[in-house]
């Protein structure tokens, strides 16, 4: 068997393993199913219980930023297996939790760290295997993560209907661990990308230290934070917006969850595939314009049921597409070899964005102030995406390219 054939088989197996792992990792987004029963068990308010998911999101972002170091030392397969075991342990502890502190430690910190350790690292590793179709591969992997929340919604709902809360957590953790380990066994670390003579894109190889010194890096970070803040805040309070601003019934407002899920997945698939056919920064520009349209409806129009669903769909579509395109976009700017580290620091914006919108709303009084701030940040981000340019190659790589040029 020839080397190219072996390499091709390995990368497709890695893609399959990544999709399986991402599907299991995405299961954490069914957390709202458990708030009511946990609230009753712990004799705490739903908002206190729901805070555990905020901690989970923060832990996910922090762990994602550190996963590159772990991969360098232990390899993608071993770190992913460790993430699966840690997730199962976190759910086991959650089943034993008898206080809010234990819940925050188990479901918040441990499950969040496990989810983050697997999410970004396996995604970045898979993208490195397919440098010629980064957008489609990101769409497949992140789409699987999104579908995991939908698939496990039915799994966990069924488990809750036939088991106790404690046994449901144990079974959920066991299923997730089995899928993550099975996926990990199919994965292999992507080879280091070699610079090709005359190809500036392949020579683009910034370390995190080099990238963080460039204004482009922080421009991308601000754009990502803005997209996460707008998407996570609007998605999180969509039902409340429908009831409070549009005077919809609780049942009608709750339909926003379905609209958001469809729009979010559509954004991941459409913009992910589109990003392989046009400049990725222009895809981000398009996503920002769609999000601005949604926020504009929320801020400046007389809201009806139709405009409400259109507005949240625009924001969810933009958010889903942005987080799909961003890994490939970061690799366009700073290279594939250090993608996990370079994107990992930017990905902290996901954790910050997950709490920033709600924090501003609670401090300054509700939806409109937060919408106005998000609108201003989106305008700033749009200006950044229209003006940002690729950085020059690192000096060492650029010198290698010059020496490779024929005389």
């Amino acid at each position: 068997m020839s080397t190219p054939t072996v390499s091709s088989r390995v990368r497709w197996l890695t893609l399959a393993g990544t999709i399986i792992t991402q599907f299991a990792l995405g299961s954490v987004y069914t957390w709202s199913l458990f708030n009511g029963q946990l609230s009753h068990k712990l004799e705490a308010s739903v908002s206190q219980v729901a805070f555990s998911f905020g901690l989970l999101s923060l832990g996910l972002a922090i762990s994602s930023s550190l996963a590159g170091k772990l991969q360098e030392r232990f390899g993608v397969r071993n770190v992913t297996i460790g993430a699966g075991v840690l997730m199962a342990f976190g759910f086991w502890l959650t089943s034993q939790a008898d206080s809010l502190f234990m819940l925050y430690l188990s479901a918040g910190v441990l499950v969040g760290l496990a989810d983050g350790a697997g999410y970004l690292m396996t995604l970045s590793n898979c993208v490195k295997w397919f440098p010629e179709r980064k957008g489609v591969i990101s769409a497949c992997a992140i789409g699987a993560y999104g579908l995991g929340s939908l698939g496990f919604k039915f799994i966990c709902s069924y488990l809750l209907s036939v088991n106790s809360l404690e046994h449901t957590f144990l079974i959920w953790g066991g299923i997730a661990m089995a899928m993550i380990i099975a996926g990990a066994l199919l994965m292999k670390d992507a080879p280091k990308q070699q610079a090709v003579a005359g190809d500036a894109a392949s020579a683009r190889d910034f370390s995190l230290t080099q990238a963080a010194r460039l204004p482009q890096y922080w421009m991308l970070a601000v754009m990502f934070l803005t997209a996460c803040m707008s998407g996570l805040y609007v998605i999180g309070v969509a039902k409340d917006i429908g009831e409070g601003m549009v005077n919809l019934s609780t049942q009608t407002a709750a339909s926003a969850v379905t609209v958001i899920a469809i729009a979010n997945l559509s954004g991941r698939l459409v913009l992910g595939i589109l990003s392989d056919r046009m400049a990725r920064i222009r895809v981000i520009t398009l996503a920002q314009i769609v999000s601005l349209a949604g926020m504009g409806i929320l801020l400046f129009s007389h809201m009806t049921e139709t405009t409400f669903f259109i507005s949240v769909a625009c924001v969810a579509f933009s958010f889903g597409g942005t987080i799909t395109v961003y890994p490939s976009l970061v690799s366009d700017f700073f290279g594939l070899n250090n993608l996990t580290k370079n994107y990992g620091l930017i990905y902290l914006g996901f954790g910050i964005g997950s709490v920033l919108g709600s924090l501003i709303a609670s401090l300054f009084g509700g939806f409109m102030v937060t919408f106005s701030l998000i609108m201003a940040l989106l305008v700033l981000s749009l200006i950044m995406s229209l003006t940002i340019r690729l950085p020059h190659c690192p000096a060492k790589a650029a010198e290698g390219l010059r020496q490779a040029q024929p005389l």
Side-chain angles (χ1 to χ4, degrees):
M1 187 179 292
S2 65
T3 300
T5 303
V6 172
S7 178
S8 177
R9 182 171 62 86
V10 168
R11 71 176 188 163
W12 286 107
L13 284 174
T14 298
L15 174 60
T18 302
I19 288 173
I20 294 169
T21 297
Q22 292 282 339
F23 187 90
L25 293 173
S27 67
V28 298
Y29 284 89
T30 62
W31 187 250
S32 61
L33 292 173
F34 299 89
N35 285 339
Q37 290 194 37
L38 283 169
S39 172
H40 182 265
K41 176 185 176 181
L42 302 178
E43 297 180 348
S45 68
V46 170
S47 61
Q48 286 177 310
V49 170
F51 181 67
S52 59
F53 188 75
L55 288 175
L56 188 154
S57 299
L58 189 59
L60 191 160
I62 292 171
S63 183
S64 293
S65 69
L66 302 174
K69 285 285 188 184
L70 293 174
Q71 183 183 0
E72 279 186 356
R73 183 165 183 180
F74 301 108
V76 66
R77 180 177 295 174
N78 291 331
V79 177
T80 304
I81 290 173
V85 173
L86 181 60
M87 177 172 278
F89 179 66
F91 281 128
W92 175 78
L93 274 184
T94 302
S95 73
Q96 307 298 312
D98 56 5
S99 67
L100 282 172
F101 175 78
M102 278 293 294
L103 181 69
Y104 294 161
L105 175 64
S106 57
V109 176
L110 293 183
V111 175
L113 291 175
D115 209 72
Y119 168 71
L120 183 57
M121 179 193 61
T122 58
L123 167 63
S124 301
N125 182 69
C126 193
V127 168
K128 292 177 192 175
W129 273 109
F130 296 86
E132 77 285 2
R133 56 183 83 175
K134 294 182 285 188
V136 171
I137 296 304
S138 291
C140 289
I142 298 179
Y145 190 80
L147 284 174
S149 64
L150 183 62
F152 270 86
K153 176 184 177 183
F154 296 103
I155 293 171
C156 291
S157 294
Y158 171 75
L159 290 174
L160 281 171
S161 69
V162 297
N163 293 286
S164 66
L165 178 66
E166 292 78 10
H167 278 93
T168 297
F169 281 125
L170 291 174
I171 298 170
W172 178 11
I175 294 172
M177 180 178 71
M179 292 184 69
I180 292 169
I181 292 176
L185 294 175
L186 297 175
M187 296 179 203
K188 191 171 181 180
D189 288 276
K192 188 176 178 67
Q193 187 184 42
Q194 301 297 324
V196 178
D199 184 358
S202 67
R204 200 174 295 282
D205 189 14
F206 290 81
S207 68
L208 176 58
T209 302
Q210 290 171 323
R213 291 173 181 160
L214 299 172
Q216 289 96 327
Y217 189 83
W218 299 106
M219 291 169 75
L220 291 177
V222 169
M223 287 188 276
F224 186 74
L225 171 63
T226 300
C228 290
M229 179 181 169
S230 59
L232 292 168
Y233 178 70
V234 172
I235 290 171
V237 299
K239 178 172 172 287
D240 304 298
I241 295 171
E243 291 178 342
M245 292 180 61
V246 198
N247 297 318
L248 299 178
S249 67
T250 300
Q251 185 175 2
T252 302
S255 300
V257 176
T258 303
V259 172
I260 285 169
I262 295 171
N264 194 321
L265 183 59
S266 299
R268 295 171 192 234
L269 296 176
V270 172
L271 296 186
I273 294 170
L274 190 62
S275 71
D276 280 337
R277 299 168 186 249
M278 61 186 287
R280 289 187 180 88
I281 192 64
R282 295 287 76 84
V283 177
I284 296 299
T285 302
L286 175 61
Q288 291 165 340
I289 292 171
V290 172
S291 190
L292 273 168
M295 294 306 302
I297 293 171
L298 288 171
L299 269 173
F300 304 120
S301 74
H302 175 68
M303 295 286 287
T304 65
E305 181 178 335
T306 300
T307 57
F308 164 66
F309 286 127
I310 290 173
S311 64
V312 296
C314 284
V315 175
F317 180 91
S318 172
F319 171 65
T322 298
I323 62 173
T324 300
V325 173
Y326 240 77
S328 302
L329 178 68
V330 172
S331 76
D332 289 345
F333 274 74
F334 308 113
L336 275 170
N337 287 327
N338 297 302
L339 175 59
T340 307
K341 294 180 187 175
N342 290 337
Y343 182 40
L345 182 58
I346 289 175
Y347 196 77
L348 284 174
F350 183 93
I352 297 169
S354 69
V355 298
L356 194 57
S358 298
L359 181 63
I360 291 168
S362 63
L363 289 176
F364 299 103
F367 299 136
M368 301 310 288
V369 172
T370 312
F371 291 163
S372 299
L373 176 61
I374 290 173
M375 189 84 171
L377 287 172
L378 281 169
V379 171
L380 175 63
S381 295
L382 179 61
I383 295 171
M384 287 181 174
S385 75
L386 291 171
T387 57
I388 194 171
R389 296 293 180 264
L390 289 172
H392 295 297
C393 294
K396 185 176 179 181
E399 179 62 26
L401 272 180
R402 283 194 294 271
Q403 291 176 358
Q405 296 297 329
L407 298 175

